[in-house]
Structures are given as structure tokens and as C-alpha cells.
Amino acid sequence: MALSPINRMFMTSAWLESILYGINCVLFGTCIYILFVRKRKAHWITLVSCIFHISIATAHNILSLICSLQAFTNPAIISASNGSSLYLLRHTTLFFTSGTLHLLNVFGLNLLLIWRLYVVWQSYWVLIVMLVLEAAQIATSITGWVLLFQSSPVFSHRAHDFVDAGLSFDLVVAIAVTSGISYRLWRAGQRVSILTGGRNAYKAAIYTIIESGAIYTSSIIVVSGLLVSGSLAGAVAANVNVQIATLTPLLLVVRLGLGLTHGESKQPEILSAAGPFFVRPVEDNITEEISTRTTDSDVVDSSSRPTRESIQSCHDSCVKKNVKVS
């Protein structure tokens, strides 16, 4: 018996979600290794966010498995005509809980991104604007989610409008945060480029932040496109989006913590740009860091000169001895 389109889409999304969840488990273990074993400097919010997102991802993956078992193995469901498809589209307790976990994961990720933006900019105006956008996103998403469970078709139509508005605000927040952090780091690198030979000291971090942000932004665009087009795949794709929302912060910590950034130079110490803290504006930090490195290199070079001369003298004496013996 051929599977209905709804069943096929749900099974595909559950399969993709399981794969992404396995990747998230590996990334979470790597984050714990970076923060505790390698003892990279990071703010406590970074650890809390990692635990929060992996917990949401785990719970949602378990609920997807339970929903699959109910839809495809429960005799009372599969005995009815198109019973599995009707069950997957029904607003059950599992459906409500899974959607709530998805909203919590998105809210947590956006608040984490806004905090990182504030850490880099150190501006209350930037923080206020982003929090207003996030408040609009939370309000529209929750309103749409509540209206979705109303039986009236009018409420159902309004629910989709609010959901679309929530996704739009979510997209604006993601793009604004990624662009804001990247621009701030680029401007800081430009101001001190004369000390680095014309090279932007934060170039690797900029590329890494843009690449990580593009993953989640792309998922929002895909889900939004499916929902706007009226496809049922949009609701199913939200299951995968939960894991992508978890993958984004974990991947950023792993890449910066292990120095797996874009470019040839590895800079594991730049983990502080991923979520940790800046006690002063980023331009002051990077200027002080470059000046410290320059001073240290000068000391090393000056202290290494006698050693090189002694090595050269030893080499000359050994050559003379060999000549006399021969």
C-alpha cells in the first residue's frame, strides 16, 4: 500500500530530524570538552544555552518518535481509512507539546543572539531595538499558535497570518544580529589594521559568524516559503527546524573553540566573540591584544639573539675540530 503524501513527508522529516539530532549530540559533547576540559574562557550564558538547546532538541526528537509510533503502529489509528494522515494533522497533545518546544527553542536562540549583539556593541539602544523586535516575534508567534487550536475557520485563517508575521520577525532578528555582529567586528578590524599589516584581525570570526547564521536563516526562509505557498510540508518542516535552531549555537561554539574558522590562521582564543564577554568596546580589546602580541614578539626576538650566536659559535668550533682531526 502506497504511503500518503502526509505520511511520507512526516517520515522524511523524522528521519532528517534524527540525523541532525545525532550531529547535535556530537556538537554538544564537543562543547562540554571545550568549556571544561580545554577550559576555554566563556560566559556562563554560553553553557546554559548549550544545555537548554540540547534539552529541547532531545525532548522534541522523543516526541517525534512517539508520534510516529502512534501514527503507524496503533491499531485503532491504522485500521481507519487514512487514519495515520488524519492523526498527524490532528491537534493532539503531542502536536501541541512539539510546537511549544519549537517556539521555546526559537525564543531562546533569538535571545542568545541578541545578547551576543549587545556584548559586541555595548549599546543599550541596540539592545532595546532588538528586544522590541523579539517581543513582536514572541507575541505574534504565541497568538498564532493559540488561534491555531480554535475550531472556527476564521481563527484558523488569522492563525496563519500571525504565524507568517512571527516568522517574518524571526527572519529580521536573525539577519539583523548576524549583520550587526559582523559589521562591528569588521569595523574594529579596520581601525587597527595598520597594526596588523593591513589585515583584518577579526576576519576569521566574521566569516564564521556569517556562515553559522546563514544556516538558521536559510531554514527560516524555507519554512516561511512552504507556509506562504500553502503547502502542508511547512508544518512538517518545523520539526527539522528545531534541530537546526539547536545546531546553530553549538556549531558556533565548536568552530570558534577549536579554531576551525575560515582562513589559514586558527584563533581559538576568539571564543570570547561567540558569546562570552567584553568588558570594554571591541576596538579597545583588539588594540590591546595586538599591542601585547607585538611586545611579546619583540621580547622573544631580542632574547633569542644570544642563543643563535652561541649556536653559531658551537657550530664553528665543531667544524674546526673536524678539520684538525682529519
Side-chain angles (χ1 to χ4, degrees):
M1 181 178 179
L3 292 175
S4 66
I6 298 297
N7 296 346
R8 189 179 297 108
M9 286 188 294
F10 185 85
M11 292 181 65
T12 302
S13 68
W15 175 68
L16 292 175
E17 182 181 2
S18 299
I19 294 177
L20 291 175
Y21 175 70
I23 297 174
N24 287 332
C25 289
V26 176
L27 292 176
F28 177 74
T30 308
C31 289
I32 298 300
Y33 167 77
I34 291 172
L35 298 177
F36 289 97
V37 178
R38 300 189 66 175
K39 297 181 179 179
R40 295 296 181 190
K41 240 187 341 183
H43 200 281
W44 61 269
I45 294 181
T46 302
L47 176 61
V48 172
S49 65
C50 291
I51 297 175
F52 172 79
H53 287 295
I54 195 65
S55 301
I56 295 292
T58 302
H60 194 277
N61 195 45
I62 292 174
L63 290 179
S64 296
L65 175 61
I66 296 176
C67 188
S68 300
L69 291 175
Q70 287 290 329
F72 301 113
T73 62
N74 192 326
I77 295 176
I78 60 179
S79 61
S81 177
N82 294 325
S84 298
S85 300
L86 295 176
Y87 176 81
L88 294 175
L89 294 176
R90 191 182 307 162
H91 294 163
T92 60
T93 303
L94 288 176
F95 182 84
F96 176 79
T97 306
S98 298
T100 303
L101 290 176
H102 175 261
L103 292 179
L104 290 176
N105 206 25
V106 172
F107 297 159
L109 177 59
N110 287 343
L111 292 176
L112 176 65
L113 295 176
I114 293 173
W115 172 71
R116 286 174 175 168
L117 182 67
Y118 169 73
V119 162
V120 174
W121 279 87
Q122 292 291 309
S123 172
Y124 286 106
W125 287 110
V126 173
L127 179 62
I128 292 173
V129 171
M130 296 308 302
L131 287 179
V132 169
L133 289 175
E134 178 58 21
Q137 194 264 336
I138 293 175
T140 52
S141 298
I142 293 179
T143 303
W145 187 240
V146 172
L147 292 178
L148 191 63
F149 286 84
Q150 302 296 326
S151 57
S152 174
V154 177
F155 285 112
S156 179
H157 179 71
R158 290 181 179 177
H160 287 290
D161 293 337
F162 278 103
V163 169
D164 294 339
L167 289 173
S168 300
F169 282 116
D170 192 16
L171 184 62
V172 170
V173 170
I175 295 177
V177 169
T178 303
S179 303
I181 295 177
S182 301
Y183 171 74
R184 184 67 165 175
L185 295 179
W186 173 81
R187 195 176 69 173
Q190 290 296 110
R191 290 186 177 183
V192 296
S193 59
I194 188 174
L195 300 177
T196 58
R199 182 179 60 86
N200 194 313
Y202 275 164
K203 182 179 179 181
I206 293 173
Y207 279 119
T208 304
I209 291 172
I210 292 176
E211 291 169 358
S212 299
I215 297 175
Y216 179 63
T217 303
S218 301
S219 68
I220 299 176
I221 294 175
V222 171
V223 174
S224 302
L226 292 174
L227 290 177
V228 170
S229 64
S231 175
L232 292 175
V236 179
N239 297 332
V240 183
N241 195 37
V242 173
Q243 301 299 327
I244 296 178
T246 301
L247 182 143
T248 301
L250 297 179
L251 181 62
L252 186 60
V253 173
V254 169
R255 293 189 63 183
L256 295 177
L258 297 179
L260 303 177
T261 54
H262 187 279
E264 297 179 357
S265 61
K266 293 184 178 181
Q267 301 175 358
E269 72 276 4
I270 212 161
L271 178 62
S272 59
F277 53 90
F278 284 95
V279 293
R280 295 184 300 276
V282 64
E283 290 91 344
D284 297 339
N285 287 338
I286 188 173
T287 305
E288 180 180 353
E289 181 182 359
I290 293 172
S291 301
T292 304
R293 290 183 178 179
T294 304
T295 304
D296 293 342
S297 62
D298 293 340
V299 172
V300 172
D301 290 340
S302 61
S303 61
S304 62
R305 288 171 186 170
T307 305
R308 293 172 182 172
E309 294 175 0
S310 60
I311 293 173
Q312 183 65 31
S313 61
C314 291
H315 174 71
D316 294 340
S317 61
C318 290
V319 171
K320 292 179 181 178
K321 289 181 181 179
N322 292 335
V323 171
K324 290 180 180 179
V325 172
S326 58

PDB file of all heavy atoms in Angstrom, residues 85-98:
ATOM      1  N   SER A  85      -2.697   9.637   8.440  1.00  0.00           N
ATOM      2  CA  SER A  85      -2.647  11.017   7.954  1.00  0.00           C
ATOM      3  C   SER A  85      -3.530  11.923   8.800  1.00  0.00           C
ATOM      4  O   SER A  85      -3.138  13.052   9.153  1.00  0.00           O
ATOM      5  CB  SER A  85      -3.088  11.084   6.492  1.00  0.00           C
ATOM      6  OG  SER A  85      -2.234  10.301   5.680  1.00  0.00           O
ATOM      7  N   LEU A  86      -4.720  11.451   9.129  1.00  0.00           N
ATOM      8  CA  LEU A  86      -5.619  12.256   9.951  1.00  0.00           C
ATOM      9  C   LEU A  86      -5.034  12.477  11.346  1.00  0.00           C
ATOM     10  O   LEU A  86      -5.186  13.566  11.929  1.00  0.00           O
ATOM     11  CB  LEU A  86      -6.983  11.577  10.055  1.00  0.00           C
ATOM     12  CG  LEU A  86      -7.770  11.466   8.737  1.00  0.00           C
ATOM     13  CD1 LEU A  86      -9.058  10.682   8.955  1.00  0.00           C
ATOM     14  CD2 LEU A  86      -8.076  12.854   8.181  1.00  0.00           C
ATOM     15  N   TYR A  87      -4.364  11.475  11.888  1.00  0.00           N
ATOM     16  CA  TYR A  87      -3.774  11.619  13.221  1.00  0.00           C
ATOM     17  C   TYR A  87      -2.629  12.633  13.206  1.00  0.00           C
ATOM     18  O   TYR A  87      -2.491  13.432  14.134  1.00  0.00           O
ATOM     19  CB  TYR A  87      -3.258  10.256  13.702  1.00  0.00           C
ATOM     20  CG  TYR A  87      -2.544  10.327  15.029  1.00  0.00           C
ATOM     21  CD1 TYR A  87      -3.264  10.364  16.225  1.00  0.00           C
ATOM     22  CD2 TYR A  87      -1.151  10.360  15.084  1.00  0.00           C
ATOM     23  CE1 TYR A  87      -2.610  10.438  17.448  1.00  0.00           C
ATOM     24  CE2 TYR A  87      -0.495  10.437  16.304  1.00  0.00           C
ATOM     25  CZ  TYR A  87      -1.231  10.469  17.483  1.00  0.00           C
ATOM     26  OH  TYR A  87      -0.571  10.552  18.694  1.00  0.00           O
ATOM     27  N   LEU A  88      -1.816  12.603  12.159  1.00  0.00           N
ATOM     28  CA  LEU A  88      -0.692  13.533  12.081  1.00  0.00           C
ATOM     29  C   LEU A  88      -1.140  14.970  11.903  1.00  0.00           C
ATOM     30  O   LEU A  88      -0.427  15.908  12.299  1.00  0.00           O
ATOM     31  CB  LEU A  88       0.233  13.135  10.922  1.00  0.00           C
ATOM     32  CG  LEU A  88       0.965  11.791  11.075  1.00  0.00           C
ATOM     33  CD1 LEU A  88       1.744  11.469   9.807  1.00  0.00           C
ATOM     34  CD2 LEU A  88       1.898  11.819  12.279  1.00  0.00           C
ATOM     35  N   LEU A  89      -2.334  15.165  11.298  1.00  0.00           N
ATOM     36  CA  LEU A  89      -2.846  16.514  11.103  1.00  0.00           C
ATOM     37  C   LEU A  89      -3.725  16.992  12.259  1.00  0.00           C
ATOM     38  O   LEU A  89      -4.066  18.168  12.320  1.00  0.00           O
ATOM     39  CB  LEU A  89      -3.660  16.585   9.801  1.00  0.00           C
ATOM     40  CG  LEU A  89      -2.876  16.368   8.507  1.00  0.00           C
ATOM     41  CD1 LEU A  89      -3.824  16.360   7.316  1.00  0.00           C
ATOM     42  CD2 LEU A  89      -1.817  17.446   8.336  1.00  0.00           C
ATOM     43  N   ARG A  90      -4.065  16.062  13.150  1.00  0.00           N
ATOM     44  CA  ARG A  90      -4.946  16.410  14.251  1.00  0.00           C
ATOM     45  C   ARG A  90      -4.165  17.182  15.319  1.00  0.00           C
ATOM     46  O   ARG A  90      -2.983  16.943  15.554  1.00  0.00           O
ATOM     47  CB  ARG A  90      -5.535  15.139  14.858  1.00  0.00           C
ATOM     48  CG  ARG A  90      -6.677  15.375  15.834  1.00  0.00           C
ATOM     49  CD  ARG A  90      -7.140  14.052  16.385  1.00  0.00           C
ATOM     50  NE  ARG A  90      -7.453  13.115  15.318  1.00  0.00           N
ATOM     51  CZ  ARG A  90      -7.555  11.800  15.500  1.00  0.00           C
ATOM     52  NH1 ARG A  90      -7.338  11.279  16.683  1.00  0.00           N
ATOM     53  NH2 ARG A  90      -7.861  11.028  14.477  1.00  0.00           N
ATOM     54  N   HIS A  91      -4.849  18.141  15.965  1.00  0.00           N
ATOM     55  CA  HIS A  91      -4.221  18.942  17.015  1.00  0.00           C
ATOM     56  C   HIS A  91      -4.279  18.190  18.337  1.00  0.00           C
ATOM     57  O   HIS A  91      -5.092  18.486  19.216  1.00  0.00           O
ATOM     58  CB  HIS A  91      -4.911  20.296  17.136  1.00  0.00           C
ATOM     59  CG  HIS A  91      -4.735  21.149  15.921  1.00  0.00           C
ATOM     60  ND1 HIS A  91      -5.522  22.252  15.651  1.00  0.00           N
ATOM     61  CD2 HIS A  91      -3.865  21.060  14.885  1.00  0.00           C
ATOM     62  CE1 HIS A  91      -5.139  22.800  14.514  1.00  0.00           C
ATOM     63  NE2 HIS A  91      -4.150  22.096  14.033  1.00  0.00           N
ATOM     64  N   THR A  92      -3.396  17.224  18.468  1.00  0.00           N
ATOM     65  CA  THR A  92      -3.336  16.409  19.675  1.00  0.00           C
ATOM     66  C   THR A  92      -2.416  17.060  20.706  1.00  0.00           C
ATOM     67  O   THR A  92      -1.791  18.100  20.465  1.00  0.00           O
ATOM     68  CB  THR A  92      -2.831  15.007  19.334  1.00  0.00           C
ATOM     69  OG1 THR A  92      -1.521  15.111  18.754  1.00  0.00           O
ATOM     70  CG2 THR A  92      -3.757  14.330  18.336  1.00  0.00           C
ATOM     71  N   THR A  93      -2.326  16.385  21.873  1.00  0.00           N
ATOM     72  CA  THR A  93      -1.434  16.877  22.924  1.00  0.00           C
ATOM     73  C   THR A  93       0.021  16.818  22.485  1.00  0.00           C
ATOM     74  O   THR A  93       0.814  17.724  22.785  1.00  0.00           O
ATOM     75  CB  THR A  93      -1.636  16.052  24.204  1.00  0.00           C
ATOM     76  OG1 THR A  93      -3.010  16.101  24.604  1.00  0.00           O
ATOM     77  CG2 THR A  93      -0.752  16.575  25.329  1.00  0.00           C
ATOM     78  N   LEU A  94       0.384  15.758  21.758  1.00  0.00           N
ATOM     79  CA  LEU A  94       1.744  15.650  21.242  1.00  0.00           C
ATOM     80  C   LEU A  94       2.052  16.765  20.256  1.00  0.00           C
ATOM     81  O   LEU A  94       3.149  17.334  20.265  1.00  0.00           O
ATOM     82  CB  LEU A  94       1.940  14.281  20.572  1.00  0.00           C
ATOM     83  CG  LEU A  94       2.027  13.065  21.490  1.00  0.00           C
ATOM     84  CD1 LEU A  94       2.125  11.787  20.665  1.00  0.00           C
ATOM     85  CD2 LEU A  94       3.223  13.181  22.416  1.00  0.00           C
ATOM     86  N   PHE A  95       1.078  17.076  19.411  1.00  0.00           N
ATOM     87  CA  PHE A  95       1.264  18.146  18.437  1.00  0.00           C
ATOM     88  C   PHE A  95       1.466  19.486  19.142  1.00  0.00           C
ATOM     89  O   PHE A  95       2.343  20.278  18.770  1.00  0.00           O
ATOM     90  CB  PHE A  95       0.039  18.202  17.507  1.00  0.00           C
ATOM     91  CG  PHE A  95       0.143  19.244  16.428  1.00  0.00           C
ATOM     92  CD1 PHE A  95       0.801  18.976  15.246  1.00  0.00           C
ATOM     93  CD2 PHE A  95      -0.427  20.500  16.604  1.00  0.00           C
ATOM     94  CE1 PHE A  95       0.893  19.944  14.241  1.00  0.00           C
ATOM     95  CE2 PHE A  95      -0.338  21.471  15.616  1.00  0.00           C
ATOM     96  CZ  PHE A  95       0.326  21.187  14.435  1.00  0.00           C
ATOM     97  N   PHE A  96       0.656  19.744  20.166  1.00  0.00           N
ATOM     98  CA  PHE A  96       0.764  20.996  20.906  1.00  0.00           C
ATOM     99  C   PHE A  96       2.101  21.088  21.649  1.00  0.00           C
ATOM    100  O   PHE A  96       2.758  22.143  21.644  1.00  0.00           O
ATOM    101  CB  PHE A  96      -0.392  21.110  21.900  1.00  0.00           C
ATOM    102  CG  PHE A  96      -0.320  22.327  22.774  1.00  0.00           C
ATOM    103  CD1 PHE A  96      -0.706  23.569  22.295  1.00  0.00           C
ATOM    104  CD2 PHE A  96       0.140  22.226  24.084  1.00  0.00           C
ATOM    105  CE1 PHE A  96      -0.634  24.693  23.105  1.00  0.00           C
ATOM    106  CE2 PHE A  96       0.221  23.342  24.890  1.00  0.00           C
ATOM    107  CZ  PHE A  96      -0.169  24.579  24.404  1.00  0.00           C
ATOM    108  N   THR A  97       2.519  19.990  22.266  1.00  0.00           N
ATOM    109  CA  THR A  97       3.775  19.991  23.015  1.00  0.00           C
ATOM    110  C   THR A  97       4.974  20.175  22.088  1.00  0.00           C
ATOM    111  O   THR A  97       5.908  20.925  22.406  1.00  0.00           O
ATOM    112  CB  THR A  97       3.919  18.682  23.803  1.00  0.00           C
ATOM    113  OG1 THR A  97       2.758  18.467  24.617  1.00  0.00           O
ATOM    114  CG2 THR A  97       5.151  18.718  24.700  1.00  0.00           C
ATOM    115  N   SER A  98       4.953  19.514  20.945  1.00  0.00           N
ATOM    116  CA  SER A  98       6.061  19.647  19.984  1.00  0.00           C
ATOM    117  C   SER A  98       6.166  21.083  19.475  1.00  0.00           C
ATOM    118  O   SER A  98       7.271  21.637  19.375  1.00  0.00           O
ATOM    119  CB  SER A  98       5.854  18.689  18.817  1.00  0.00           C
ATOM    120  OG  SER A  98       5.852  17.349  19.245  1.00  0.00           O
TER     121      SER A  98
END
